[in-house]
Amino acid sequence: MSPEDKKHCCLTLPPDALNNLPENVIDSILMCLPFKDAVRTSVLSNNWRYKWCGLPELTLDEAVWTTKKNLFFHTTEITKIISHILIFHAGPITKFILCVPKSRSCHMIDDLIYFLSKNGIQHLVLELPFRDSPHKLPSSFFKCLQLRHLTLQNCLIIPPPAFKGFDRLIRLELCEVTISSKLLGSLISHCLLLEHLVLHIAYSYSNVVEINAPRLRSFYFAGSIRSIFLKNAPLLEKLLLTDNETGYLGAEKWDIVKFFESFSALEHLCVNMLFAAEAGEIPTRLPFDLNCVKQLYITVDLYDSAEVSCACCLISSFPYLQYMEIQIIEWNFPQT
């Protein structure tokens, strides 16, 4: 637009143009703004004062909690903001993202979850700060039955006995959560539509974690679970396994054949973890071929015979492999 056209546009623009915008246009504008800026539009006019209160998607992350001097709000300020949302927001909230800074806390988590459970929440992200003890999710959390995407961090998960699972959930991400191996397996198995699973767990379970997810298509695991068994994942296409510097896949002995026997649809495999197994117990190849595997990314310690044997076994069992990337672990030994 030329300067003359812009001048003409400004001259013909009605003085109350902001107030006369259609509701769908206002909603689109607010949805494109960061939450802090969306709230600031309340000063534009009386008509805009509570427009932000109808937003169906809210993101409360570091951008919201940061002051002009790049400092985080105190816990009282965080609590005050969430309290205002609970008081003034009207209408459904389909997506809510809460990321509390590590150095802060939030005393209204349970009230917030209860509020969301009554307002049709479908996409929920709760990234809570690490404390001496994780935050136990309230009973109202397990009533969010419309959930389709769920991300939890630093939470204690104890489902009530009557809980039947999130039967609409498609994506589940658990990071540094506290939950028993039995309850974790049960939670996953009751998510009948689950397609994408991310587990990032920093401690070991005493029992095997069985994953029964017949619609699962991608699985990313990072942690130190002693043994993880994908009992039923016939549609799994993408599998990423990595450690957190001290993690091991499997217990003292790892059955590589049993682990991979149900991956008939696997196409992408990324393995970046230590294998707790004896080299002599690993076959030169699997007793079956995984014909769908097209891409392989693997990290190998050449000084560990078990890892080398595992890598050779996997490579030999992928007859239609198209792309392979091998990362070698380098050790800097002291010079003598």
Side-chain angles (χ1 to χ4, degrees):
M1 183 180 294
S2 66
E4 288 298 325
D5 291 336
K6 290 182 179 179
K7 182 178 179 181
H8 180 71
C9 180
C10 293
L11 292 175
T12 58
L13 191 66
D16 57 348
L18 288 176
N19 291 329
N20 291 332
L21 287 175
E23 289 296 325
N24 63 321
V25 174
I26 295 176
D27 292 341
S28 298
I29 293 173
L30 293 176
M31 290 287 289
C32 292
L33 295 175
F35 178 72
K36 186 183 292 187
D37 292 334
V39 175
R40 286 170 176 164
T41 62
S42 60
V43 302
L44 292 176
S45 68
N46 289 334
N47 189 41
W48 279 73
R49 186 174 182 182
Y50 297 107
K51 293 295 184 182
W52 69 269
C53 298
L55 285 173
E57 299 182 5
L58 303 178
T59 298
L60 306 184
D61 54 12
E62 290 189 359
V64 176
W65 314 129
T66 306
T67 66
K68 294 181 179 180
K69 297 182 179 180
N70 291 325
L71 299 175
F72 287 131
F73 287 148
H74 291 293
T75 296
T76 53
E77 291 295 326
I78 294 176
T79 302
K80 182 179 179 181
I81 291 174
I82 293 180
S83 176
H84 273 69
I85 292 174
L86 299 182
I87 293 174
F88 292 107
H89 194 280
I93 299 180
T94 57
K95 182 177 181 179
F96 192 92
I97 299 176
L98 175 65
C99 302
V100 181
K102 295 181 180 179
S103 58
R104 298 293 184 262
S105 61
C106 180
H107 303 302
M108 302 190 67
I109 296 295
D110 291 358
D111 293 334
L112 176 62
I113 293 176
Y114 177 80
F115 179 78
L116 295 174
S117 69
K118 298 293 185 180
N119 285 275
I121 187 67
Q122 298 178 20
H123 187 149
L124 177 61
V125 176
L126 290 178
E127 295 183 4
L128 306 182
F130 177 79
R131 296 292 175 185
D132 294 334
S133 59
H135 183 85
K136 182 181 179 182
L137 295 175
S139 58
S140 59
F141 167 77
F142 301 98
K143 297 179 181 179
C144 300
L145 300 181
Q146 298 186 48
L147 279 173
R148 296 176 63 82
H149 300 263
L150 175 62
T151 299
L152 299 175
Q153 180 175 331
N154 293 325
C155 298
L156 172 60
I157 306 174
I158 304 179
F163 180 63
K164 301 300 182 181
F166 299 112
D167 56 7
R168 300 185 183 185
L169 200 65
I170 296 176
R171 184 179 185 88
L172 174 63
E173 297 186 26
L174 302 178
C175 180
E176 310 293 350
V177 300
T178 302
I179 184 174
S180 70
S181 57
K182 182 178 180 180
L183 288 178
L184 176 56
S186 177
L187 174 64
I188 295 171
S189 65
H190 283 90
C191 299
L192 301 179
L193 300 181
L194 190 64
E195 296 182 2
H196 307 284
L197 175 63
V198 176
L199 296 179
H200 192 291
I201 301 175
Y203 61 91
S204 299
Y205 287 117
S206 57
N207 299 319
V208 174
V209 177
E210 291 190 354
I211 295 179
N212 181 11
R215 295 200 178 190
L216 192 66
R217 295 190 177 276
S218 70
F219 176 41
Y220 170 71
F221 165 73
S224 56
I225 295 180
R226 290 183 177 275
S227 182
I228 188 166
F229 176 46
L230 281 84
K231 182 178 181 181
N232 181 24
L235 301 181
L236 188 66
E237 299 174 352
K238 190 171 185 177
L239 176 63
L240 294 90
L241 304 171
T242 186
D243 66 11
N244 56 356
E245 298 181 354
T246 59
Y248 287 85
L249 178 67
E252 294 182 357
K253 294 182 179 180
W254 182 62
D255 192 338
I256 187 173
V257 175
K258 184 178 180 181
F259 187 83
F260 283 98
E261 64 184 359
S262 63
F263 296 160
S264 58
L266 189 64
E267 296 182 6
H268 307 274
L269 175 62
C270 179
V271 182
N272 176 25
M273 61 191 336
L274 305 176
F275 296 98
E278 297 295 333
E281 299 171 349
I282 300 173
T284 56
R285 60 173 296 138
L286 298 175
F288 46 83
D289 289 336
L290 294 177
N291 296 325
C292 293
V293 177
K294 301 295 189 299
Q295 298 185 24
L296 173 63
Y297 305 82
I298 191 167
T299 300
V300 181
D301 179 3
L302 295 180
Y303 290 94
D304 190 315
S305 57
E307 289 197 30
V308 174
S309 297
C310 281
C312 293
C313 174
L314 293 176
I315 294 171
S316 301
S317 304
F318 305 151
Y320 295 99
L321 193 63
Q322 297 178 359
Y323 179 86
M324 179 173 63
E325 185 175 312
I326 301 178
Q327 181 177 352
I328 305 300
I329 297 179
E330 296 183 1
W331 297 94
N332 295 322
F333 295 103
Q335 296 181 356
T336 57

